[in-house]
């Protein structure tokens, strides 16, 4: 680690002074490389994480190229220098950046940090999750083929307890960008505070999908289930709490059960598979423990449960599970399960619904559904989360993404993601 960080530190001066055109040339080659190796990337992540191959092709391989393209479009016009009165305001690269990324979207999360950091003029040390590191090697191979100067991008693999700890405490690292659990994020934040490092955190979520009484319930439930089960629930933004009017609770549960039944579990390499296994034995145990906890907490098991899906006795498979009549203060409604588990929570009126939606320590994502778009926007404006989807609005890779509260600090994507890696200085002229 010391040698790697020395290389990143030594390379910073030259790379930080490089013209935008030089950085763009590297990112253009990276983009081409990601497209050329998309099939290999999808297969690699499918085998490591368990996301079905059709989704892995679109998301695990598709998103990294899309994100890189957004920075190719953004970088030429970004104002690294601007005039404010008699001052020149400059945006300067922060220094050596330590990036620590998770296993659920391994290449996407790496690219989401590495690309804007390089675009900003920073040098990077990437520490991917030891659960799914192979796509990071593909990234390193592509970057190595671009002619990027030695030391600008560096890859270090190993457990968080050793490689990660060494990275977050090293004095040459001037910024830490971490995506992962809230508990680990707190440890990273403490290390950053001790050395006054810049910090960006994207942490956990327990996102609410709030269905207003006038909404198309079938569409809302379908959209919520699709979000909840994406990547077998191993998604930080997953809509895992479905909030519905009390008089429509049973109908919502029936619709959720029907939607879940269409999610066929099986071999993730099979094009027909809709629901793959979880990524590890540890995650498998964790999710099953939460399902058993839901039963002991008194929630109604609508579908699913702790038994293995039919025909999937081998592997880390978990039945897609729906709980009804979930208490808002129960653990399954408050804690991030990170598996295919949906909690249906009834509410009496709009004020109670908003209170329930905001009633966790998290604030990463959310959704609002209503037949009245303006009413949906007004309710969305009262949710304490960094992203709210209104009536199934499409994902936008150029819009900012990040959390409130225990869901993190800072923003990713678009110019906001670039600005995270920049210091601001003014020259008084």
């Amino acid at each position: 680690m010391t040698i790697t960080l020395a290389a990143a530190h030594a390379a910073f001066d030259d790379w930080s002074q490089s013209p935008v055109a030089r950085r763009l040339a590297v990112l253009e080659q990276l983009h081409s490389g990601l497209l050329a190796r998309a099939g290999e990337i999808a297969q690699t992540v499918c085998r490591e994480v368990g996301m079905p191959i059709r989704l892995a092709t679109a998301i695990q391989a598709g998103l990294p190229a899309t994100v890189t393209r957004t920075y190719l479009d953004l970088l030429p016009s970004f104002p690294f220098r601007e005039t404010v009165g008699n001052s020149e305001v400059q945006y300067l690269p922060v220094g050596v950046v330590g990036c620590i990324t998770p296993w659920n979207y391994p290449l996407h999360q790496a690219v989401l940090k590495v690309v804007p950091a390089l675009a900003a003029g920073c040098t990077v040390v990437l520490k991917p999750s030891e659960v799914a590191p192979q796509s990071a090697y593909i990234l390193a191979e592509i970057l190595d083929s671009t002619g990027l100067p030695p030391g600008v991008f560096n890859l270090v693999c190993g457990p968080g307890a050793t490689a990660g700890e060494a990275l977050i405490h090293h004095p040459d690292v001037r910024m830490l960008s971490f995506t992962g659990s809230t508990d680990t994020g707190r440890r990273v934040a403490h290390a950053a505070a001790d050395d006054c490092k810049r910090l960006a955190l994207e942490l956990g979520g327990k996102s609410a999908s709030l269905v207003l009484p006038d909404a198309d319930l079938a569409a809302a439930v379908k959209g919520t289930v699709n979000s909840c089960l994406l990547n077998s629930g191993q998604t930080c933004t997953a809509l895992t709490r479905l909030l519905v009017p009390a008089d429509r609770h049973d109908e919502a549960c029936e619709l959720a059960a029907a939607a879940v039944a269409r999610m066929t579990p099986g071999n993730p390499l099979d094009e027909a598979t809709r629901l793959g296994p979880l990524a590890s034995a540890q995650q498998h145990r964790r999710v099953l423990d939460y399902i058993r906890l839901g039963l002991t907490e008194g929630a109604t098991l609508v579908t699913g449960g702790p038994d293995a899906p039919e025909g999937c006795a081998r592997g880390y498979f978990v039945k897609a599970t729906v709980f009804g009549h979930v208490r808002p203060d129960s653990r399954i409604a408050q804690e991030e399960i990170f598996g295919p588990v949906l909690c249906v929570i009834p509410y009496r009126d709009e004020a109670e619904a908003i209170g329930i939606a905001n009633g966790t320590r998290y604030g990463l994502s959310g959704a609002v559904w209503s037949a009245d778009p303006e009413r949906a926007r007004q309710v969305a404006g009262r949710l304490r989360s960094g992203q709210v989807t209104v009536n199934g609005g499409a994902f936008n890779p150029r819009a900012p993404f990040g959390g409130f509260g225990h869901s993190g600090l800072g923003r990713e994507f678009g110019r906001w993601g670039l600005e995270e890696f920049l210091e601001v200085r003014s020259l008084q002229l």
Side-chain angles (χ1 to χ4, degrees):
M1 180 67 77
T2 300
I3 295 172
T4 300
L5 281 161
H9 181 72
F12 174 72
D13 187 58
D14 176 66
W15 184 248
S16 67
Q17 299 299 314
S18 63
V20 168
R22 186 182 181 194
R23 302 176 205 171
L24 281 169
V26 168
L27 296 186
E28 192 69 66
Q29 293 175 73
L30 172 60
H31 181 255
S32 297
L34 291 170
L35 292 176
R37 299 181 69 171
E40 178 188 358
I41 291 165
Q43 286 275 339
T44 298
V45 179
C46 174
R47 292 175 184 276
E48 279 194 313
V49 177
M51 177 180 275
I53 188 65
R54 288 177 62 187
L55 288 172
T57 300
I59 298 173
Q60 301 283 11
L63 263 182
T66 297
V67 168
T68 304
R69 180 76 262 166
T70 66
Y71 284 104
L72 284 168
D73 295 340
L74 170 68
L75 195 55
S77 61
F78 186 83
F80 286 97
R81 302 284 188 274
E82 58 183 338
T83 300
V84 179
N86 67 304
S87 301
E88 180 180 277
V89 178
Q90 303 175 341
Y91 296 87
L92 308 173
V94 68
V96 178
V97 178
C99 300
I100 302 176
T101 53
W103 48 260
N104 58 333
Y105 293 88
L107 184 59
H108 166 60
Q109 294 290 350
V111 164
L112 196 52
K113 301 178 187 305
V114 170
V115 166
L118 294 179
C122 299
T123 56
V124 174
V125 179
L126 170 65
K127 206 296 284 185
S129 168
E130 63 273 23
V131 175
Q134 293 183 55
S135 60
Y137 285 98
I138 297 175
L139 175 64
E141 289 171 0
I142 297 173
L143 284 171
D144 187 55
S145 71
T146 66
L148 194 68
V152 175
F153 172 80
N154 308 271
L155 176 64
V156 175
C157 291
T162 53
E165 286 294 320
L167 182 60
I168 67 177
H169 290 289
H170 200 283
D172 282 350
V173 175
R174 298 318 311 149
M175 177 177 174
L176 294 168
S177 181
F178 170 82
T179 297
S181 73
T182 297
D183 289 342
T184 303
R186 276 198 288 264
R187 292 200 295 274
V188 174
H190 279 296
D194 286 342
D195 195 27
C196 294
K197 302 180 193 294
R198 285 280 295 275
L199 183 66
L201 300 174
E202 197 266 281
L203 307 176
K206 193 68 181 178
S207 302
S209 181
L210 198 169
V211 184
L212 293 172
D214 65 344
D216 181 338
L217 185 62
V221 170
K222 180 181 178 181
T224 302
V225 168
N226 287 342
S227 169
C228 179
L229 301 188
L230 180 64
N231 203 18
S232 296
Q234 299 168 130
T235 301
C236 57
T237 57
L239 300 174
T240 55
R241 295 183 297 147
L242 176 61
L243 279 52
V244 296
D247 61 358
R248 304 195 74 182
H249 171 273
D250 293 351
E251 182 185 359
C253 288
E254 291 176 5
L255 288 167
V260 162
R262 292 190 287 270
M263 297 293 184
T264 310
N267 184 344
L269 292 169
D270 186 336
E271 291 279 349
T273 296
R274 300 288 301 278
L275 195 68
L278 301 186
S280 67
Q282 179 182 6
Q283 191 62 20
H284 186 247
R285 288 192 299 270
R286 171 187 170 88
V287 174
L288 291 182
D289 285 346
Y290 269 110
I291 292 174
R292 296 185 185 104
L293 175 64
L295 296 172
T296 64
E297 286 186 321
T300 301
L301 182 63
V302 176
T303 189
D307 298 329
E310 185 178 349
C312 298
R314 294 183 60 193
Y316 305 135
F317 289 94
V318 173
K319 283 183 178 179
T321 298
V322 177
F323 283 108
H325 294 292
V326 177
R327 296 195 326 272
D329 61 348
S330 64
R331 285 183 59 191
I332 63 168
Q334 289 288 318
E335 299 176 14
E336 186 176 42
I337 297 172
F338 226 57
V341 181
L342 177 67
C343 298
V344 183
I345 304 173
Y347 67 83
R348 290 168 296 184
D349 55 38
E350 185 176 297
E352 183 184 38
I354 293 170
I356 293 171
N358 291 335
T360 75
R361 63 178 182 164
Y362 298 108
L364 189 59
S365 185
V368 177
W369 306 82
S370 173
D372 181 348
E374 185 55 37
R375 183 185 182 196
R377 285 168 60 94
Q378 290 174 359
V379 172
R382 298 177 64 186
L383 300 190
R384 298 291 298 166
S385 62
Q387 173 181 282
V388 183
T389 299
V390 176
N391 287 332
F395 169 71
N396 180 3
R398 289 175 168 79
F401 172 75
F404 292 6
H406 286 236
S407 288
L409 303 167
R411 292 296 178 266
E412 294 181 313
F413 289 103
R415 66 178 177 84
W416 300 270
L418 181 62
E419 289 169 356
E420 289 292 336
F421 297 99
L422 296 169
E423 297 276 19
V424 182
R425 175 172 69 196
S426 63
L427 299 184
Q428 315 307 340
L429 305 175

